């Protein structure tokens, strides 16, 4: 029993991982297992006219579209992506078929003997090209997978009377997850049932996708999560595609079939963070107060829609950041191109939106000769203020305290002063970002789509098992959920059982995404534990089930995109200090300070891990991680040329947590997993702007990009 839930305990699973005996998918080798390798399109857009396949030796198989028992579509929001290509391919790397067999080398030889005859079609690679109506569209009439808009007040009237109108454009690139364990799946067909084992975030997304692919009843389909070496959103929707591959292969061959990507294949063909372009038009009055913003968002979705519509929603709802802007007009679209499909990535659109708005605020302040943080503070939302979509910030907004803390920790004010005084001989700068992350699904997702169910089972020996479909992918759920239940039941932690979920045993408590697990599912577990405690002596074995109940006061209109887009918000303030080399424009990060409000930490060390990892991932997006696409082909395909940060690249993060318990979360906890990645890029970029006296409009901030902007706007 833990008195203060925030006090760290040993993280479940770490011992096994460190010692090397944790079982990952690659360690599983059931009797008779075959390997699979994917034959992929090497064309960005083409019709497949013919496939010449050599005769397969004994024990080797081809698995393709003709083997799909049900619907040849990956089940996700719009179901537009085939499991195996049919008559056309739409991006380089699109799966066409599998070669399956006992020997990996032989499989590669057989793959190389297959010849696909294509009839090339005119591809579209960029958002600009997709918008050019003179080219034939590749999707629908306008290459748009999704399009949304919403407004508040009357922006047009304000613009006609504004004292000053500022227009800006911001651009962000791809980001690749580089989870340590590449994607992988194992399919088994046994007793007329399909089971897939794999490294994934969403057991029920996988099983639902297979139910559709096979057209079978749910009791014949089972998905089991294996110890997952990181996911970061990359194992949210993509695993449903390869689960289809191995399951269909297992069904056809009668053998267990394993498909594991190597790093290059993983980088080339799995989803990425959406590249974005965000344009602002902002109106200010005589007192330098922003009265209206028009924002126009485009994201490059790639060849299939996937989750792009919901990523886009999060971007447009976050696009004015932590500021109360009375008049708004926001438009966004997800654009189809013949490139690898983009998808979920920690922050889910938040990093793109907050980079844009934080830089925009910074640049406006500088252009007006104002101190950026003071300018931001004048526009910040307060408790009870309306949100961009006309909802309400219901819970305590403690940004002023957080800013005070960051100023003290980083020495922001003194540094701004001293760096400015020493203009010319020191390219040093410090920047601050303010941000939030809406916890849980956007809009009515939890209420109308997910409808989470959790179960607690008490056994005769007094042990209690947590039965949920949420997974530990490094973010520590095995520990935090167990703590919530143990603490509520006043039981030692060793009496709580919680193993990797298996859809044949656990109810659907929803996917492990949107930083929802602790706040939404953890709350249901807390409620279940409270009930179990009160009924503890009723019987030696007991089962308690809890269903998600939507808070009455959280209202959302899906048609009008109006109301509370999120039930609650976690908040962050980051400061980054840099020194930029005068010759090479290399950025040396001298200090990183963070203050977060995640309600209440369920385990401070786990939150610390989320902070260090998330901030590093955000700094990578900010300054290191370059990924270009040329002719539909990604140029960076290994971790030698796609460089992610290591602990050596940036200064150690100094962090502080603000206790601000949320009544709707277990022990007051809100979401924490994604928040930590959101604010690093705008803080670093602001610091670099400060150091060089330039404006930054694009991520990543590479030395090459800095040289370019320094030529245009270097301070004197
Ligand atoms: N932390 C680790 N170590 N590994 C991960 O894969 N995924 C992130 C974040 N933190 C991730 C992580 C993402 S994308 C999400 S949505 C949240 O964890 C989900 O966890 P939660 O719902 O438990 O907050
Ligand atoms: Mo996280 S991007 O919601 O899996």
């Amino acid at each position: 029993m833990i008195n203060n839930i925030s006090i760290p305990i040993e993280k479940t699973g770490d011992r096994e991982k460190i010692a090397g005996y944790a079982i990952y998918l690659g360690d599983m080798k059931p009797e008779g297992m075959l390997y699979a390798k994917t034959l992929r399109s090497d064309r960005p857009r083409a019709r497949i006219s013919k496939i010449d396949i050599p005769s397969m030796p004994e024990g080797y198989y081809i698995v393709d579209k003709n083997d799909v028992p049900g619907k040849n579509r990956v089940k996700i929001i719009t179901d537009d992506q085939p499991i195996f290509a049919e008559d056309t391919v739409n991006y380089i790397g699109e799966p066409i078929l599998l070669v399956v067999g006992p020997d990996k080398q032989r499989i590669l030889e057989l793959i190389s003997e297959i010849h696909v005859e294509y009839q090339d079609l005119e591809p579209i690679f960029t958002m600009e090209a997709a918008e050019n109506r003179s080219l034939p569209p590749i999707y629908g009439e306008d290459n748009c997978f999704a399009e949304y808009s919403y407004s508040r007040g009357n922006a047009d009237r304000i613009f006609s009377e504004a004292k000053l109108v500022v227009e800006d454009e911001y651009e962000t690139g791809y980001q690749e997850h580089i989870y340590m364990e590449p994607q992988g799946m194992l399919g088994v067909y046994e007793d007329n049932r399909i089971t897939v084992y794999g490294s994934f975030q969403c057991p029920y997304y996988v099983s639902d996708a297979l139910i559709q692919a096979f057209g079978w009843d749910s009791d014949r389909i089972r998905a089991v999560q294996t110890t997952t070496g990181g996911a970061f959103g990359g194992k949210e929707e993509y695993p449903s595609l390869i689960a289809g591959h191995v399951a269909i292969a297992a069904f056809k061959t009668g053998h267990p079939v394993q498909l594991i990507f190597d790093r290059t294949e993983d980088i080339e063909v799995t989803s990425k963070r959406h590249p974005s372009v965000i344009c602002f038009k902002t109106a200010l009055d005589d007192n330098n107060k922003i009265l209206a913003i028009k924002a126009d968002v485009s994201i490059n979705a790639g060849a299939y829609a996937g989750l792009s519509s919901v990523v886009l929603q999060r971007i447009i709802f976050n696009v004015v950041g932590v500021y109360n802007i009375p008049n708004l007009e926001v438009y966004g679209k997800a654009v189809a191109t013949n490139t690898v499909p983009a998808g979920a990535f920690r922050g889910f659109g938040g990093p793109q939106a907050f980079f844009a708005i934080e830089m925009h605020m910074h640049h406006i302040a500088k252009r007006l000769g104002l101190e950026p943080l003071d300018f931001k503070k004048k526009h910040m939302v307060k408790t009870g203020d309306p949100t961009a979509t006309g909802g309400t910030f219901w819970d305590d907004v403690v940004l002023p305290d957080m800013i005070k803390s960051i100023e003290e920790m980083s020495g922001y004010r003194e540094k701004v002063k001293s760096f400015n005084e020493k203009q010319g001989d020191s390219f040093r700068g410090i920047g601050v970002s303010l941000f939030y992350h809406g916890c849980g699904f956007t809009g009515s997702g939890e209420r109308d789509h997910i409808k989470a169910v959790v179960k607690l089972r008490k056994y005769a020996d007094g042990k209690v098992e947590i039965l949920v479909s949420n997974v530990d992918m490094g973010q520590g759920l095995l520990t935090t959920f167990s703590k919530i239940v143990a603490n509520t039941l006043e039981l030692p932690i060793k009496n709580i059982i919680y193993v990797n979920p298996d859809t044949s045993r656990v109810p659907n408590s929803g996917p492990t995404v949107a930083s929802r697990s602790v706040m939404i599912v953890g709350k249901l577990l807390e409620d279940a534990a409270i009930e179990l405690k009160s009924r503890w002596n009723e019987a030696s074995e007991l089962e308690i089930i809890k269903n998600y109940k939507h808070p009455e006061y959280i209202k959302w209109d899906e048609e009008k995109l109006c109301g509370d887009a999120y039930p609650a918000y976690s908040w962050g303030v980051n400061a980054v200090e840099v020194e930029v080399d005068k010759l090479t424009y290399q950025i040396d990060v001298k200090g990183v300070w963070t203050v977060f409000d995640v309600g209440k930490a369920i385990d401070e060390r786990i939150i610390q891990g989320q902070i260090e990892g998330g901030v590093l991932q955000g700094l990578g997006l900010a300054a290191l991680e370059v990924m270009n696409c040329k002719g539909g082909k990604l140029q960076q395909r290994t971790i030698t040329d796609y460089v992610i940060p290591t602990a050596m690249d940036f200064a150690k993060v100094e962090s502080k947590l603000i206790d601000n318990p949320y009544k709707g979360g277990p022990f007051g906890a809100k979401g924490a997993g994604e928040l930590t990645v959101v604010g690093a890029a705008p803080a670093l970029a602001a610091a670099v702007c400060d150091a060089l006296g330039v404006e930054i409009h694009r991520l990543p901030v590479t030395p090459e990009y800095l040289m370019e902007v320094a030529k245009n706007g270097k301070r004197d």
Side-chain angles (χ1 to χ4, degrees):
M1 162 57 192
I2 320 106
N3 285 322
N4 175 354
I5 194 144
S6 302
I7 294 171
I9 63 166
E10 183 176 318
K11 196 172 169 216
T12 312
D14 271 9
R15 210 169 263 274
E16 293 86 334
K17 286 177 186 165
I18 292 163
Y21 53 87
I23 302 292
Y24 292 89
L25 186 77
D27 301 314
M28 294 173 70
K29 293 214 170 24
E31 180 86 23
M33 188 182 85
L34 304 179
Y35 298 99
K37 184 82 187 165
T38 317
L39 176 81
R40 302 180 178 283
S41 164
D42 57 8
R43 305 300 165 93
R45 185 164 179 244
R47 198 160 284 129
I48 299 174
S49 25
K50 202 166 141 226
I51 306 181
D52 286 327
I53 296 170
S55 72
M56 285 290 123
E58 169 92 37
Y60 289 81
Y61 306 82
I62 297 287
V63 180
D64 69 6
K65 63 177 195 301
N66 301 316
D67 299 306
V68 184
K71 187 173 164 189
N72 184 26
R73 286 289 178 278
V74 183
K75 188 173 162 59
I76 192 93
I77 300 165
T78 53
D79 297 2
D80 61 336
Q81 182 171 14
I83 299 171
F84 292 109
E86 292 172 353
D87 50 343
T88 56
V89 286
N90 288 300
Y91 68 98
I92 293 176
E94 179 157 5
I96 298 173
L97 55 79
L98 300 182
V99 175
V100 177
D103 182 69
K104 286 184 185 173
Q105 195 51 41
R106 190 78 188 99
I107 292 173
L108 292 180
E109 287 161 18
L110 289 167
I111 285 233
S112 71
E113 289 166 29
I114 299 176
H115 180 71
V116 185
E117 220 175 88
Y118 297 100
Q119 211 184 316
D120 287 316
L121 300 167
E122 185 73 36
I124 284 180
F125 297 128
T126 62
M127 291 199 277
E128 302 87 80
E131 271 163 41
N132 178 352
R133 292 295 168 84
S134 63
L135 299 169
I138 59 161
Y139 180 85
E141 279 169 18
D142 56 1
N143 296 319
C144 231
F145 284 128
E147 201 177 8
Y148 301 109
S149 61
Y150 68 91
S151 61
R152 179 182 166 197
N154 185 343
D156 278 332
R157 187 178 54 79
I158 301 292
F159 275 95
S160 66
E161 297 163 4
K163 183 203 155 205
L164 177 68
V165 175
V166 184
E167 287 186 66
D168 263 344
E169 185 175 312
Y170 296 92
E171 207 182 320
T172 64
Y174 283 112
Q175 189 178 21
E176 160 57 40
H177 308 85
I178 312 279
Y179 24 68
M180 276 202 262
E181 181 202 19
Q183 303 263 1
M185 285 279 171
L186 169 69
V188 178
Y189 177 58
E190 216 173 39
D191 303 330
N192 221 16
R193 275 173 64 157
I194 286 287
T195 303
V196 292
Y197 301 86
S199 181
F200 49 68
Q201 298 174 231
C202 314
Y204 275 93
Y205 282 8
V206 170
S207 60
D208 284 350
L210 293 177
I211 289 168
Q212 175 172 295
F214 280 78
W216 289 359
D217 289 340
S218 59
D219 60 356
R220 291 177 65 196
I221 303 278
R222 177 178 163 223
V224 184
Q225 184 238 357
T226 50
T227 298
T228 297
F232 307 112
K235 294 171 185 172
E236 175 168 347
E237 74 276 31
Y238 195 83
S240 297
L241 171 68
I242 52 173
H245 292 170
V246 295
I248 293 160
F251 181 57
K252 177 167 186 173
T253 64
H255 287 269
V257 176
Q258 188 199 63
L259 176 69
I260 297 182
F261 288 176
D262 63 28
R263 181 62 69 184
T264 298
E265 185 176 25
D266 196 298
I267 294 178
E268 278 182 319
V269 305
T270 66
S271 57
K272 316 266 165 273
R273 188 184 296 289
H274 289 79
S276 72
V277 175
I278 299 180
C279 301
F280 291 114
K281 192 171 165 194
T282 296
L284 292 95
D285 69 8
D286 292 333
N287 300 317
N288 296 326
K289 184 99 185 154
I290 297 175
L291 294 183
I293 293 183
K294 291 188 182 186
D296 188 312
V297 176
S298 311
I299 58 171
N300 185 349
Y304 293 102
L307 295 169
S308 293
S309 58
V310 275
V311 171
L312 177 64
Q313 287 191 354
R314 200 178 270 269
I315 300 191
I316 64 169
F317 299 154
N318 290 196
V319 82
V320 293
V322 302
Y323 308 109
N324 186 357
I325 311 296
N327 300 281
L328 276 179
E329 229 169 71
V330 180
Y331 166 79
K333 60 174 178 289
V335 180
T337 58
N338 294 111
T339 58
V340 64
F345 196 140
R346 196 178 203 171
F348 213 76
Q352 292 96 318
F354 279 95
F355 168 68
I357 186 66
E358 284 300 283
M359 292 322 290
H360 186 51
M361 294 297 283
H362 183 93
H363 294 154
I364 294 175
K366 284 290 195 186
R367 288 177 207 167
L368 294 171
L370 303 171
E371 202 294 306
L373 186 53
D374 292 335
F375 180 67
K376 289 179 182 179
K377 279 167 82 172
K378 282 215 175 76
H379 293 89
M380 241 157 44
V381 295
K382 301 183 300 298
T383 312
D385 274 355
T387 67
T389 53
T392 305
F393 286 104
W394 295 104
D395 303 295
D396 275 356
V397 177
V398 294
L399 278 173
D401 294 340
M402 297 171 71
I403 292 173
K404 210 176 280 167
S405 293
I406 212 88
E407 286 177 337
E408 282 163 15
M409 289 160 70
S410 68
Y412 178 78
R413 297 284 168 186
E414 304 81 71
K415 282 178 182 168
V416 166
K417 201 159 161 273
S418 82
F419 295 161
N420 284 345
E421 276 165 7
K422 279 202 248 137
Q423 269 195 20
D425 55 79
S426 155
F427 281 9
R428 268 180 107 107
I430 184 162
V432 170
S433 63
L434 313 179
F435 53 99
Y436 63 65
H437 192 74
C439 307
F441 267 85
T442 301
S444 50
E446 295 290 346
R447 184 188 62 198
D448 299 339
H449 302 299
I450 303 300
K451 303 181 186 136
V453 185
V454 308
K455 206 190 269 185
L456 280 184
R457 184 179 294 150
K458 177 194 149 190
Y459 294 102
D461 62 0
K463 293 213 164 135
V464 174
E465 181 165 11
I466 294 172
L467 294 156
V468 294
S469 59
N470 298 88
V471 313
D472 194 323
M473 50 202 184
Q475 91 284 33
L477 227 48
L478 291 175
T479 313
T480 46
F481 275 0
S482 300
K483 274 179 98 172
I484 290 167
V485 172
N487 201 280
T488 308
L489 288 169
E490 297 183 69
L491 286 177
I493 200 91
K494 66 172 177 19
N495 283 26
I496 310 299
I497 304 164
Y498 173 24
V499 297
N500 295 342
D502 167 345
T503 55
S504 71
R505 293 190 68 236
V506 301
N508 189 350
S509 57
T512 318
V513 304
S515 304
R516 64 185 288 279
S517 310
V518 166
M519 187 177 101
I520 305 274
V521 184
K523 178 67 183 169
L524 292 175
L525 286 172
E526 186 187 39
D527 292 346
I530 290 169
E531 183 177 332
L532 178 59
K533 194 176 178 193
S534 72
R535 296 175 48 192
W536 189 260
N537 295 323
E538 243 174 54
S540 62
E541 299 206 2
L542 265 179
E543 229 173 55
I544 308 287
I545 293 173
K546 286 280 169 197
N547 292 279
Y548 176 72
K549 273 199 205 67
H550 194 72
E552 282 282 318
Y553 66 95
I554 302 295
K555 303 217 187 312
W556 179 251
D557 183 328
E558 189 68 47
E559 290 292 303
K560 298 195 181 102
L561 304 182
C562 181
D564 290 303
Y566 302 96
Y569 299 81
S570 289
W571 302 83
V573 177
N574 288 177
V576 172
E577 183 186 335
V578 301
E579 176 157 16
V580 185
D581 188 289
K582 294 174 193 180
L583 208 58
T584 63
Y585 288 96
Q586 201 71 35
I587 299 168
D588 184 6
V589 174
K590 295 285 183 195
V592 183
W593 300 269
T594 73
V595 182
F596 291 108
D597 160 17
V598 297
K600 171 96 182 156
I602 295 300
D603 187 287
E604 275 169 1
R605 190 162 46 219
I606 284 178
I607 296 293
Q608 189 61 31
Q610 290 297 298
I611 293 171
E612 285 175 19
V615 169
L616 210 64
Q617 212 160 25
L619 291 170
L621 172 73
L624 279 184
E625 299 180 32
V626 178
M627 184 167 273
N628 304 312
C629 188
K630 231 189 203 163
K633 201 165 175 68
L634 294 170
Q635 301 299 290
Q636 292 77 9
R637 274 164 278 158
T638 67
I639 35 181
T640 311
D641 45 28
Y642 184 78
V643 180
I644 61 161
T646 68
M648 298 297 286
D649 285 300
F650 299 115
K652 188 170 166 13
V653 182
E654 279 179 43
S655 59
K656 182 175 168 184
L657 290 175
I658 301 259
D659 239 24
N660 183 21
Y662 163 58
K663 60 182 177 310
F667 294 85
K670 297 187 282 193
E674 292 170 280
L675 174 74
T676 57
V677 82
V678 178
L684 177 136
V688 174
C689 290
D690 192 40
L692 296 178
V694 297
E695 285 198 0
I696 285 170
H697 289 264
R698 200 210 288 166
L699 288 182
V701 187
T702 57
E704 293 84 350
Y705 172 61
L706 282 180
M707 276 181 207
E708 217 177 278
V709 294
K711 260 193 266 160
N712 307 329
K714 204 167 171 177
R715 78 178 178 208
D716 45 31

